[in-house]
Structure formats: structure tokens, C-alpha cells
Amino acid sequence: MDKDRAVGDEKYICRCEEVTEAEIREAIKAGARSVVEIKRWTRAGMGICQGRSCRRLVERILADELKLKPEEIELSSFRQPVRPVSIKAMDE
Amino acid sequence: MTEHRCDVAILGAGVNGCSIAYELSKRGKKVILIDKVVLGAGASGSCDDMILLQSKKPGILLEMAFKSLDLFEGLKTELLSDIEFETRGGTILIEDEEHLSIMEEFVASQNRYGLEVEIIDRKRLVELQPLVAEDIIASTYSARDSQVNPMLLMKAFLLGAKQKGLRYISRTTPVAIEQLASGWKLLLDTGDVVEAEVLVNAAGAWANDITKLVDFQVPITPRKGQVIVTEAIPPLGETNVWSAQYIVSKLKPQEAVKTSAGESAPTQTPAERFGLGFAFTGTHNGNYLIGSTRENRGFDKSTDPEAIALLSAQVERFFPVMSKINFIRTFAGLRPSTPDGMPFLGEIPGAPGFFIAAGHEGDGIALSPITGLVMADLVTGKKPIFPMEAFEPGRFGGKAGL
């Protein structure tokens, strides 16, 4: 994480749901302390890839804002089916 | 150890706890909102987005839902952030003549209560839902059914209340509650202490964990609903959709009770075992939510492939085009259900200043604005705009079982 970047930077962290770094930092300032809270507040991680791209980035922003080590961040939940599955496939 | 003092301490940061916190903060009360986990960690963050008038039993809950809908119109502009409130209307699909006659009777009783809902024929249904299965014979239609994003609603209530001085404390719960000469004292599991004039228990399916601390119980049990989330797709049609079967299952809770784990009769079909009903709604973002089951499985929040397969088959049955669509996520929520389908809203007998607002089952989002209003009235000693007798916390004798 480049700490010199100003808040308000339009850098996309969750590309599926188009959530910027500034929005994630704002959620943390409003009280979010975990990936799951950021997900619910900003939709980061709720898109087609289910957070496979952005989860680690979100964890690093959390660590940065909360002055914690990445391993001290609360573990996030994973929801079935992890990768997209067709509705027809479930029916067979 | 930190000691906090406030006018009102609310336990449970779900949609109703947040709504009560917002309303009381607006009235100048100093509020502390406490959640065992985080904002929306229970049913309020694991549900769909519908404000469905058509599913309410004609009676006080329907009247309160009407009032809630008016309040949502105001909240839409009053709250500081968008809540994605929309009124798209709702349709309940009717598969056969038997369901048609049941729904005709139900619609007539709703009309008598002032709900604008009608039965429409297949031709009109297809105008609203062009991709509906060919053998659906008719549908209900109400232009008033609406939707709102529950997470954004909770966030907006919370931020609005924070602006008026609310303190939000996550990840803690009381381990003891003491009555003081004036008010209540909470000992939290962090060692911190909260002193409040008034307590409000809005802990949903977990409400009994709180009331137990003052030797009072309410029969609230967790009812699990599993939901599928699809990838974002263009809208299939105009309205939100349910099946008549869903309404029957919701109106006759005793049928769902039979599906409790461990006592399933061998004659039950898998759909009956899971309390399957069809609820289908397109979110603001384009993801469709496909629900839902109604199961009594304690506090188990897992999703299982058998239920997901049933939900998949069901959506293909009503909307064959959905077989081509991917789903990206599944989740389950625990709705706080009560034996008579009514929430507990009021003061706990023998515990002056200790209120409860829990047990809305699947109506929590829809009824949150009116719940905030009536609870703020009760807390501040005003007479609520609705008669509260049906919601008495002591109506089951202060016990968890029947």
C-alpha cells in the first residue's frame, strides 16, 4: 500500500463492483473493522469474483488504517459456491 | 474498564435496533447501540430486499406495513445516504385453479383492509413478466409492493443517529444486567459498563440471550431461510415475484413448524422438509435473489446443496430462462420467529424501563420504520399510534416454550 496516496484517490480496489480505495477507507473511518463489514458497507467483494481479487487488498487497507499487522485482521467468510455455477448445473 | 452513561442502550444493531436508535437520537436522546457481532450480522444482513404488503396478514401487521411504506417515502429524502428504495409492484404467480380460488379469497380480504391488489390474467402478467413459464395461469398484482437495500438502510440509520451523538459499540454483549434505583446497568463481556435509563432489546433471534439475564423469556426461535444470489443480469420483468405456495407457507406457520429437524415425517417431500416457497427479486445492482426455505434448525446458518438444488429447480420452473444464468453466492439468515407470527414490542412485565422489540420474522425490514416510531413513543412515554396489545412481551407468560 502506497501510504503517500491521498484519500480521495480514484483507485479501484474491487473491480467487479467498482469500489475505490477512498470508499473503503471511508467505511473504516465510519467504524468498519473487518472485511465482512467493508463488504456490507461498500459491496467490495460481492461481485462476480466473490472477492478473490480484492480481499487481500481490502485486508491491507484495513491493516494500514487500523495500524495492525495483516495477520491480525479478522478472517472473512467465504460463501458457497466460491466460483460461479450455472443454475442448471445444480438442478442435474 | 470504561463506564458509559446514556439515556437509552439498545442491544442489537439489526435493522430494528438501528431504526429505534435513529428515531430516539432524533428526539434528543443520548443513545448507545451495542451489537454482539457487527451491524447487520443477523437476519437483517442475510435477507432479501422486499417490502411486501401482499404477504401480510390482513390486520394490524398490514396496517403497520402501510404506515411503514409512507415512512419509507419520507426516509428516502430525510436520510443522508441512498437506501435504494423503489416501488416496482409485486406479483404472486398462480399455478392452478385450486391456488387461484385460495388467492381470490385472500385478495378479497386484503381489499377489505384497503390494500390495492387484484388478480390479473395471464395476458396482463406477461406484459409485466414476459419470461414467465407458459403454464402459469394467473397472478396477483399490487402496484404498492416495494423494495429497499437493508444494508444501506441500516448504514443510513446508523450514520444519521451518529450525527446526533449516538455511540455504536460492536463485538460485545452483556454478561449481566442489574436494575438500579433509576435505570439499568449492563456489564459487558469486555469488562466495560453501560448505565442507561432505559434498555431496548432488539437482538432478533438472539433476544432471549438478553432477557434471560433478568429471568424473563420470550418464545422466539430462529427460522432459517436459504437464498441464492445470481450474477448481475438485465431485468427480466417489471415486478418482484412470489408463488402462491410461498404465501400459503407464510400464512400457515404451523405447516412450516412440522418441518423442524429430527421430526420430519417419512411422507414429506424434500420441498416440504425445507419449507420451500418461491421469492424472486432483482436488486438495484442487477443481481437476482432466489429464495427461500423456512427451516427450524437451531442456530445453524450453513447453506446446503440439497436446498440450493431445490431453489434452482424452482426458479427454472417459474422462469425457464434462468437455467442459463450463473449464481455467485448463497447465504442463510435466521429470522426471529414467534408462535403467533407477531413480534414482541413493549415493556417487559416487572422490569420497568426494559423494553423488547424483536420477533419480526420475515417482516423486519418492512416494519423497521414503524417499529422505530412506536418504540421511541413507548420509551419516551408517548402513546403509540397503534394499539400495542397484540405485541405484549408477556403474552406467553415470560417463558421460552409453549
Side-chain angles (χ1 to χ4, degrees):
Chain A
M1 186 62 49
D2 182 355
K3 287 188 181 174
D4 294 325
R5 277 179 186 272
V7 173
D9 191 3
E10 287 296 295
K11 187 162 61 180
Y12 286 96
I13 298 296
C14 170
R15 285 177 287 173
C16 302
E17 294 290 325
E18 299 182 351
V19 182
T20 65
E21 180 180 344
E23 289 172 278
I24 290 167
R25 289 191 186 271
E26 199 183 305
I28 300 166
K29 291 201 171 81
R33 279 165 52 190
S34 60
V35 174
V36 65
E37 285 168 289
I38 288 174
K39 181 179 94 173
R40 288 184 170 142
W41 285 52
T42 68
R43 293 190 63 81
M46 289 181 88
I48 192 86
C49 92
Q50 285 293 289
R52 286 199 305 278
S53 310
C54 67
R55 184 181 289 110
R56 279 162 180 260
L57 292 170
V58 172
E59 283 169 355
R60 288 179 62 181
I61 298 170
L62 270 165
D64 181 45
E65 286 284 336
L66 301 175
K67 311 286 177 249
L68 294 171
K69 292 179 190 151
E71 61 266 32
E72 290 168 335
I73 300 298
E74 279 178 34
L75 285 175
S76 53
S77 53
F78 292 79
R79 302 251 192 229
Q80 289 186 52
V82 187
R83 282 167 198 278
V85 173
S86 83
I87 284 177
K88 193 164 182 50
M90 281 310 292
D91 191 21
E92 281 168 351
Chain B
M1 187 193 89
T2 314
E3 270 194 57
H4 304 280
R5 268 170 214 283
C6 59
D7 298 323
V8 185
I10 300 170
L11 298 154
V15 73
N16 284 298
C18 289
S19 174
I20 298 162
Y22 176 72
E23 189 58 34
L24 284 166
S25 299
K26 255 173 57 177
R27 299 187 192 186
K29 294 289 171 192
K30 194 178 168 214
V31 181
I32 295 182
L33 177 63
I34 299 165
D35 196 277
K36 188 168 80 162
V37 190
V38 293
L39 186 73
S44 307
S46 305
C47 56
D48 62 41
D49 62 351
M50 295 182 279
I51 304 167
L52 179 57
L53 294 172
Q54 289 193 58
S55 71
K56 306 287 177 284
K57 277 184 197 172
I60 189 156
L61 284 183
L62 180 58
E63 287 173 33
M64 286 172 85
F66 277 140
K67 181 65 187 169
S68 243
L69 204 54
D70 290 344
L71 293 170
F72 270 116
E73 289 288 350
L75 286 168
K76 192 170 66 172
T77 46
E78 176 186 313
L79 291 168
L80 302 170
S81 51
D82 185 24
I83 56 171
E84 296 177 356
F85 177 82
E86 278 183 80
T87 300
R88 287 190 204 156
T91 41
I92 299 174
L93 305 182
I94 298 168
E95 296 171 73
D96 53 40
E97 295 295 334
E98 191 193 331
H99 279 169
L100 180 60
S101 66
I102 295 170
M103 291 313 288
E104 277 171 341
E105 199 181 308
F106 186 50
V107 160
S109 72
Q110 288 176 316
N111 287 154
R112 283 194 294 276
Y113 259 87
L115 177 62
E116 296 149 42
V117 54
E118 58 183 319
I119 303 277
I120 59 172
D121 62 14
R122 182 176 166 82
K123 188 165 164 287
R124 281 186 65 198
L125 173 63
V126 169
E127 287 167 17
L128 297 168
Q129 291 293 346
L131 297 167
V132 73
E134 282 176 4
D135 60 340
I136 301 300
I137 60 169
S139 168
T140 69
Y141 174 65
S142 171
R144 299 208 68 196
D145 289 329
S146 302
Q147 59 194 98
V148 69
N149 180 323
M151 261 337 287
L152 293 185
L153 179 61
M154 282 183 274
K155 184 176 154 188
F157 278 140
L158 182 72
L159 294 179
K162 268 188 160 179
Q163 214 189 30
K164 305 210 181 300
L166 169 120
R167 178 193 285 266
Y168 162 58
I169 307 174
S170 63
R171 301 168 170 83
T172 185
T173 191
V175 289
I177 299 178
E178 270 175 49
Q179 192 167 7
L180 305 172
S182 164
W184 296 87
K185 182 173 170 178
L186 300 174
L187 178 63
L188 301 179
D189 63 5
T190 51
D192 289 357
V193 170
V194 173
E195 279 188 29
E197 291 290 318
V198 171
L199 291 183
V200 181
N201 174 2
W206 294 266
N208 252 338
D209 293 346
I210 309 296
T211 53
K212 259 192 238 170
L213 299 174
V214 292
D215 295 323
F216 182 86
Q217 297 201 59
V218 279
I220 292 183
T221 48
R223 179 152 306 156
K224 175 159 138 179
Q226 300 190 44
V227 177
I228 295 176
V229 186
T230 73
E231 60 192 324
I233 55 172
L236 299 184
E238 198 175 302
T239 53
N240 292 320
V241 180
W242 301 267
S243 68
Q245 185 56 50
Y246 169 85
I247 302 301
V248 173
S249 136
K250 183 163 171 167
L251 290 172
K252 298 182 177 170
Q254 65 275 21
E255 295 203 352
V257 170
K258 280 191 294 188
T259 67
S260 64
E263 35 177 292
S264 54
T267 50
Q268 277 189 322
T269 64
E272 285 167 341
R273 201 150 41 79
F274 282 99
L276 195 70
F278 184 55
F280 188 50
T281 161
T283 68
H284 204 77
N285 290 66
N287 307 91
Y288 270 82
L289 302 180
I290 305 166
S292 179
T293 60
R294 288 164 65 84
E295 311 159 64
N296 297 330
R297 304 201 189 269
F299 286 90
D300 166 25
K301 269 182 79 171
S302 61
T303 54
D304 61 86
E306 194 185 355
I308 301 310
L310 287 168
L311 290 167
S312 300
Q314 187 174 242
V315 74
E316 288 184 274
R317 184 262 172 272
F318 288 112
F319 290 91
V321 69
M322 289 300 291
S323 66
K324 296 176 187 159
I325 304 302
N326 291 310
F327 68 98
I328 61 172
R329 183 164 69 242
T330 57
F331 65 82
L334 301 175
R335 326 265 171 257
S337 108
T338 66
D340 57 2
M342 297 293 215
F344 296 100
L345 305 172
E347 198 166 27
I348 291 174
F354 193 143
F355 293 83
I356 182 168
H360 295 73
E361 198 176 345
D363 297 333
I365 307 297
L367 296 177
S368 61
I370 187 62
T371 300
L373 207 63
V374 298
M375 291 311 296
D377 285 344
L378 289 174
V379 164
T380 57
K382 267 181 73 180
K383 192 173 152 51
I385 53 172
F386 287 99
M388 302 299 289
E389 287 74 24
F391 309 117
E392 282 292 333
R395 66 184 186 272
F396 294 101
K399 293 184 179 66
L402 285 179

